[in-house]
Amino acid sequence: MRAPWRKITITPIDISVKTRLSSSLRNQIAQARTPVADYLTQYSLEGYMWDEIAGIALIEPSMITAHRQMYVDVDIDHGPSYGMTLFWEATNIVAPYLRPATVQFDLDTEQFYRIYVDLMTRPPVSGSR
């Protein structure tokens, strides 16, 4: 989190609990009978979709309806809060090594599911394996 990246975007658990890879969504995708749909049907598990949100937000940023600039760090002290993500408002005075990040807070779930189903049910591109 302290590396000099040009931009950092975070998809926290807070936004991912607004989505769920449910059995009905998996069944809808399974009907496509494409290689991706078959793979997803066989190996995916029900649960929150934070990776999927992060990926789709890259190709369709308008899906994210609320975000804020915040300072972010991760606790690496080997105590009870080890690994916790720490956030500070952009207006706070913080240590100079902290980096600002865009933190996603809300999304258009209808648009998200529509794009996800579209991507997971597309037929393979001609000539691909």
Side-chain angles (χ1 to χ4, degrees):
M1 300 306 299
R2 298 177 184 182
W5 297 102
R6 192 166 44 105
K7 182 178 180 182
I8 299 171
T9 302
I10 298 174
T11 305
I13 290 174
D14 303 58
I15 190 173
S16 65
V17 299
K18 298 174 182 189
T19 63
R20 187 148 187 83
L21 181 57
S22 63
S23 58
S24 64
L25 187 60
R26 289 174 66 225
N27 292 340
Q28 180 183 352
I29 292 166
Q31 293 174 15
R33 301 298 307 165
T34 63
V36 170
D38 291 346
Y39 179 86
L40 189 92
T41 302
Q42 184 172 355
Y43 295 108
S44 67
L45 301 173
E46 292 186 25
Y48 301 128
M49 302 175 75
W50 50 81
D51 291 335
E52 293 85 348
I53 294 169
I56 292 174
L58 287 171
I59 60 174
E60 189 51 64
S62 69
M63 178 197 70
I64 302 300
T65 59
H67 56 83
R68 291 199 322 252
Q69 286 295 114
M70 302 182 83
Y71 289 100
V72 182
D73 201 10
V74 176
D75 184 350
I76 58 171
D77 291 331
H78 292 280
S81 60
Y82 178 75
M84 289 185 68
T85 307
L86 309 169
F87 295 91
W88 294 270
E89 295 292 337
T91 56
N92 284 19
I93 297 172
V94 296
Y97 54 79
L98 292 178
R99 311 263 307 137
T102 301
V103 182
Q104 301 167 336
F105 281 96
D106 207 356
L107 75 157
D108 179 338
T109 52
E110 247 182 67
Q111 182 183 20
F112 167 76
Y113 287 126
R114 189 172 50 251
I115 293 169
Y116 181 74
V117 169
D118 174 58
L119 291 171
M120 296 302 111
T121 59
R122 286 184 183 179
V125 176
S126 180
S128 65
R129 294 180 182 213

